Amino acid sequence: MATDTDLALSHGFALLDAASTQASRTDTIFLAMLLLCGTVALVLLVLIVAFAVRYRRGNQVDRTPPRGLRGIEVAWTVTPLLIFFAVFGWAARDFITMADPPRDALPVTVVAKQWMWKLQHRNGRREINELHVPQGEPVVLTMTSQDVIHSLFVPAFRLKQDVVPGRYTRLWFTATQLGEFPLFCSEYCGSEHSQMTGRVVVMSAAEYGRWLASGPAQPSTAQYGFALFRQLGCSGCHDPRSTIHAPSLDGLYGRTVHLQDGRSIVADADYIRDSILVPAKDVVAGFAPVMPSFAGQVSEEDLEALIAYIQSTSPRDTP
Ligand code: CUA
């Protein structure tokens, strides 16, 4: 059986594969920069050699400083400036696109740990060091680490994102080619860092649907989150019918929350995570800071499930 290392070696030219929509955009800008910088370097090289030959010591040439060249000086200053502004605008547009996953992207949660990748699909199907995705559909990974900083790197997709303990980072892509592509950890994370590899398997949408449904039946991430919500006693206070005065969490995800200290905050995954682990940090206006911390009682998977449950109560995000 081929190991991950064999797979990585057989993809020795993986950088030539461009297997996501982002990959072709990144390649275009890379090639444009390469041509631009190469042209500038070449022109400078030719001029340096030509001037060195022409003005060498002992050569009888006119050496009086030229005058009236302001037009040329302005041109060689302003033209590169405009080109660099254009390159900045181009790169910034791609960067913003990369940071903003489409609303309908398929969610996959990722927990990195020394030394493996644990992934979970929305219907609860789990996998380790493998990520199955459909071709042509946007997929968004919500990632965190259980221990140290890791970094998820898929060269064929031209994507790399740090995976950091204590917060969520996101990465999204649309795979364009069927096949298997190596995935790596690209942040040194301990003695087996180099073996923290895996593969992304891109399947047709129909095949992916079958694959997703074929796993052992498990509760979806949000269902598991709801079970935890009751098991940990969250519902005891956060249920609207509860006698304890705690904010209702229905439809919380994505809403703006006003806090006791006058700040406002958008309820995203990081906010919900902090509220579970460090409840005294962002106290909602009009409520007493009585919630205990659940740090140490919930794993990273549990937190992602609780967040998925709260997210599922928002009408626009209902799976
Ligand atoms: Cu995980 Cu390097």
Side-chain angles (χ1 to χ4, degrees), residues 107 120-126 208-223 319:
Q120 190 170 27
H121 295 260
R122 183 164 55 189
N123 76 344
R125 173 123 200 218
R126 292 169 185 276
Y208 172 77
R210 278 197 296 277
W211 174 86
L212 198 59
S214 71
Q218 289 178 86
S220 74
T221 320
Q223 282 166 347

Side-chain angles (χ1 to χ4, degrees), residues 113 115 117 149-151 185-190 193-194 196:
K113 60 174 281 195
W115 288 274
W117 299 101
I149 300 178
H150 303 269
S151 182
C185 178
S186 62
E187 182 79 48
Y188 181 69
C189 56
H193 154 73
S194 62
M196 196 170 159

